[in-house]
Amino acid sequence: MLQIEIDDGSGFCFGVTTAIRKAEEELATGQRLSCLGDIVHNNMECKRLRQMGLVTINHDDLQQLHNVKVLLRAHGEPPETYELARQNDIEIIDATCPVVLQLQKRIKKQYKENLLVQDQLRKPQIVIFGKKGHAEVLGLVGQTEGNAIVIENFDEVTKLDFSRDICLYSQTTKSLDEYHRIIDYIQAHIAPKAHFRSFDTICRSVANRMPSIMQFASRHDLILFVCGRKSSNGKVLFSECKRVNPNSHLIEGPEEIDSQWLHDVSTIGICGATSTPKWLMEQCRDAILDKD
């Protein structure tokens, strides 16, 4: 008999849950609400909220708006977004994740300290391990007026100036293992007279999912990883599933399930990213049962 298990540890993280709850509360009042960017990197959840009345806008749209409410998603925004909202009399519903907000404050504080350093050679390089162009990273770089250095992976660490001080931070959803590799490399190559500081800014609600999702993937014949293809942490988590269990497939919804995958398997595990709603994983389970 086919057994299907939905991973208890998968689903929305605290930051995403809070952002969606705030959106639902505002929409329940019947007032217009816009969200700056997709509220979550999951097309199905975005569609559900659009049907409730949520309007997704971009930064160009924001410049044209006045006297409206705009929700800032969990990823956070740079200071100029708040300034534009003030100028245009836009009421901000701020759903920035507390972990991201704390990271923004840390980086901003370091940047302000840098401004007081007269000797350019003694100004620490503010380095962010993150995906270039990602909403969270744009918000972090914005705390430095665009002066932070972004490295996307371990291979890019070589472009840093090891003769100067380095302050290293990480996007909250990056791989903890790769971050530690970067730290080790910098420690091994930093000049004797230069100082290096690293800050553990990776969100544990994501990092802690890594070992549990690996265990989950290892005990099933087939893994269906339900995730929006734009999700940064989803890519990281799925790669681990695939490494542990090669018979893993990334899908955005039940319509992408291939019946061929279900042949000769007795156990199926369904899991997902921090941007994957539980109801969507349940739909995938039900779709399999309908095929059976």
Side-chain angles (χ1 to χ4, degrees):
M1 181 178 176
L2 182 64
Q3 293 182 334
I4 305 173
E5 180 185 6
I6 296 177
D7 177 30
D8 285 338
S10 292
F12 290 153
C13 63
F14 171 79
V16 172
T17 299
T18 301
I20 289 175
R21 176 178 52 79
K22 287 187 175 185
E24 290 173 334
E25 288 173 354
E26 289 294 329
L27 292 168
T29 67
Q31 297 185 53
R32 174 188 169 93
L33 179 66
S34 298
C35 180
L36 188 54
D38 290 337
I39 191 169
V40 62
H41 287 154
N42 186 279
N43 291 333
M44 304 288 279
E45 181 66 8
C46 287
K47 180 181 178 181
R48 183 184 76 85
L49 290 168
R50 277 198 305 273
Q51 291 171 343
M52 293 178 63
L54 185 66
V55 178
T56 301
I57 62 171
N58 58 34
H59 287 82
D60 290 336
D61 298 326
L62 185 69
Q63 294 181 19
Q64 310 304 318
L65 295 179
H66 295 80
N67 302 300
V68 294
K69 286 185 178 182
V70 173
L71 183 139
L72 302 185
R73 55 194 177 165
H75 300 90
E77 282 291 320
E80 51 263 33
T81 298
Y82 293 88
E83 177 56 26
L84 177 62
R86 187 191 65 78
Q87 293 174 2
N88 289 8
D89 294 317
I90 294 171
E91 181 182 344
I92 291 294
I93 309 299
D94 200 340
T96 302
C97 172
V99 178
V100 175
L101 195 59
Q102 184 61 34
L103 175 53
Q104 287 184 347
K105 290 178 179 177
R106 273 185 166 184
I107 291 176
K108 186 173 185 177
K109 180 175 181 290
Q110 180 61 55
Y111 182 66
K112 285 185 174 180
E113 291 175 2
N114 280 11
L115 295 177
L116 301 175
V117 180
Q118 298 299 317
D119 184 354
Q120 287 293 114
L121 293 177
R122 298 308 304 170
K123 284 183 186 290
Q125 300 162 88
I126 297 177
V127 181
I128 299 169
F129 170 45
K131 182 180 179 182
K132 296 182 180 76
H134 187 280
E136 180 188 328
V137 175
L138 292 175
L140 300 178
V141 174
Q143 309 305 315
T144 70
E145 299 181 316
N147 290 296
I149 300 168
V150 179
I151 58 174
E152 288 202 340
N153 51 57
F154 174 78
D155 293 338
E156 293 187 5
V157 72
T158 56
K159 73 180 184 181
L160 302 180
D161 184 350
F162 295 105
S163 68
R164 293 176 53 203
D165 294 358
I166 296 174
C167 289
L168 178 68
Y169 304 86
S170 175
Q171 179 183 341
T172 59
T173 54
K174 292 296 278 184
S175 163
L176 191 58
D177 288 342
E178 190 170 12
Y179 188 51
H180 285 154
R181 285 182 66 205
I182 290 170
I183 290 172
D184 291 343
Y185 187 92
I186 295 174
Q187 287 175 333
H189 292 81
I190 194 83
K193 292 184 179 180
H195 296 94
F196 169 54
R197 288 186 295 161
S198 62
F199 302 89
D200 189 350
T201 56
I202 292 177
C203 177
R204 285 305 183 267
S205 74
V206 176
N208 290 343
R209 290 190 183 190
M210 196 73 75
S212 63
I213 210 163
M214 288 166 62
Q215 291 178 359
F216 181 82
S218 68
R219 65 173 184 260
H220 291 287
D221 299 330
L222 168 67
I223 290 294
L224 297 179
F225 190 90
V226 188
C227 172
R229 288 186 169 83
K230 291 193 292 184
S231 172
S232 181
N233 82 85
K235 292 175 183 176
V236 173
L237 291 170
F238 175 66
S239 67
E240 288 302 308
C241 284
K242 190 79 171 176
R243 186 175 65 82
V244 172
N245 185 340
N247 195 22
S248 297
H249 301 274
L250 190 150
I251 59 173
E252 288 202 339
E255 68 283 353
E256 294 185 12
I257 299 173
D258 188 334
S259 297
Q260 296 295 321
W261 299 341
L262 309 180
H263 292 169
D264 301 320
V265 298
S266 57
T267 64
I268 299 174
I270 301 175
C271 51
T274 58
S275 53
T276 304
K278 284 282 189 185
W279 62 262
L280 186 55
M281 289 184 279
E282 290 169 354
Q283 281 189 358
C284 292
R285 175 200 60 199
D286 295 344
I288 296 169
L289 294 175
D290 288 341
K291 292 175 186 288
D292 192 23

